[in-house]
Amino acid sequence: SAVISQKPSRDICQRGTSLTIQCQVDSQVTMMFWYRQQPGQSLTLIATANQGSEATYESGFVIDKFPISRPNLTFSTLTVSNMSPEDSSIYLCSAGTSGREQYFGPGTRLTVT
Amino acid sequence: QQPVQSPQAVILREGEDAVINCSSSKALYSVHWYRQKHGEAPVFLMILLKGGEQKGHDKISASFNEKKQQSSLYLTASQLSYSGTYFCGTEIAGTSYDKVIFGPGTSLSVIP
């Protein structure tokens, strides 16, 4: 298993600004993922964070809006850029282990005003 | 590409059994099951990697029918702690990395 921490846990941001969310894993993992979840909804995959190369983005998500870094096997960041109220959501990172299961961080609750 | 889950919601009394189904229109490499309680992160329950595989986890078990592209999660003798939203996640066969697409979720409430 893996223990994931995220910060900040929540933030309230103004329209047009950017927020960087940090994700730290307690052990080295091959795969790290970023998801978005609206309250009461499913998890939507934003991108796979690849160590040493550009992230792989899902349809509807672009690097200019959600730049991701993965400098090593235990850490990743997601930036939500030029925010609008539609970006208000819970952002979760997860780590994929060698057994393919995923372990999730506690999430970052973002409100954009 | 998102898997379909049924039922959307279910209410059980303690001790009753429930089945949650997950189906995909694509050939699958694996099926994951997670439970999420309100305000918390999803928690991994189990993964099924082979067609026909069944796994057990205390009184929660699951099966995977690779041919039918379906999986079912079985909760027996339900406890209050089983309440939450259950998500299946599917890995499509032939994709190059461990990408999981989650279903819409099944809300399960266990009442005394």
Side-chain angles (χ1 to χ4, degrees), chain B residues 57-112:
Chain B
H57 187 55
D58 196 10
K59 291 177 183 158
I60 301 175
S61 61
S63 63
F64 177 24
N65 187 321
E66 193 177 351
K67 270 190 176 178
K68 291 186 177 179
Q69 297 162 189
Q70 294 175 347
S71 177
S72 294
L73 185 72
Y74 307 95
L75 300 100
T76 58
S78 59
Q79 307 167 14
L80 295 175
S81 62
Y82 286 4
S83 293
T85 301
Y86 289 78
F87 293 100
C88 72
T90 53
E91 287 185 75
I92 307 300
T95 55
S96 58
Y97 55 90
D98 305 358
K99 167 178 146 176
V100 177
I101 304 299
F102 286 90
T106 295
S107 174
L108 186 139
S109 300
V110 181
I111 58 176

Side-chain angles (χ1 to χ4, degrees), chain B residues 14-76:
Chain B
E14 269 186 296
E16 290 183 336
D17 303 340
V19 180
I20 300 172
N21 299 302
C22 175
S23 64
S24 172
S25 60
K26 304 269 188 181
L28 299 175
Y29 179 82
S30 74
V31 179
H32 302 220
W33 286 98
Y34 295 80
R35 177 172 62 209
Q36 185 176 33
K37 293 182 180 284
H38 183 69
E40 299 180 9
V43 173
F44 171 77
L45 293 177
M46 64 190 77
I47 181 172
L48 300 106
L49 287 168
K50 298 175 187 175
E53 185 176 26
Q54 291 193 338
K55 276 199 170 179
H57 187 55
D58 196 10
K59 291 177 183 158
I60 301 175
S61 61
S63 63
F64 177 24
N65 187 321
E66 193 177 351
K67 270 190 176 178
K68 291 186 177 179
Q69 297 162 189
Q70 294 175 347
S71 177
S72 294
L73 185 72
Y74 307 95
L75 300 100
T76 58

Side-chain angles (χ1 to χ4, degrees), chain A residues 31 33 35 37 41-43 45 48 56 58 99-106, chain B residues 2 29 32 34 36 41-42 44 47 49 87 91 97-100 102-104:
Chain A
M31 310 297 291
F33 305 92
Y35 291 87
Q37 186 177 34
Q41 303 293 314
S42 184
L43 298 99
L45 181 63
T48 302
T56 304
E58 297 301 307
R100 305 179 84 92
E101 64 265 31
Q102 292 189 27
Y103 295 91
F104 286 84
Chain B
Q2 183 184 43
Y29 179 82
H32 302 220
Y34 295 80
Q36 185 176 33
F44 171 77
I47 181 172
L49 287 168
F87 293 100
E91 287 185 75
Y97 55 90
D98 305 358
K99 167 178 146 176
V100 177
F102 286 90

Side-chain angles (χ1 to χ4, degrees), chain A residues 52-95:
Chain A
S53 64
E54 199 169 278
T56 304
Y57 289 84
E58 297 301 307
S59 176
F61 297 96
V62 294
I63 187 171
D64 289 346
K65 176 68 175 177
F66 297 101
I68 287 170
S69 78
R70 175 103 189 261
N72 56 52
L73 292 175
T74 64
F75 186 77
S76 179
T77 67
L78 168 76
T79 298
V80 186
S81 303
N82 189 24
M83 289 183 283
S84 66
E86 292 70 38
D87 295 319
S88 297
S89 191
I90 298 169
Y91 292 85
L92 296 135
C93 73
S94 75

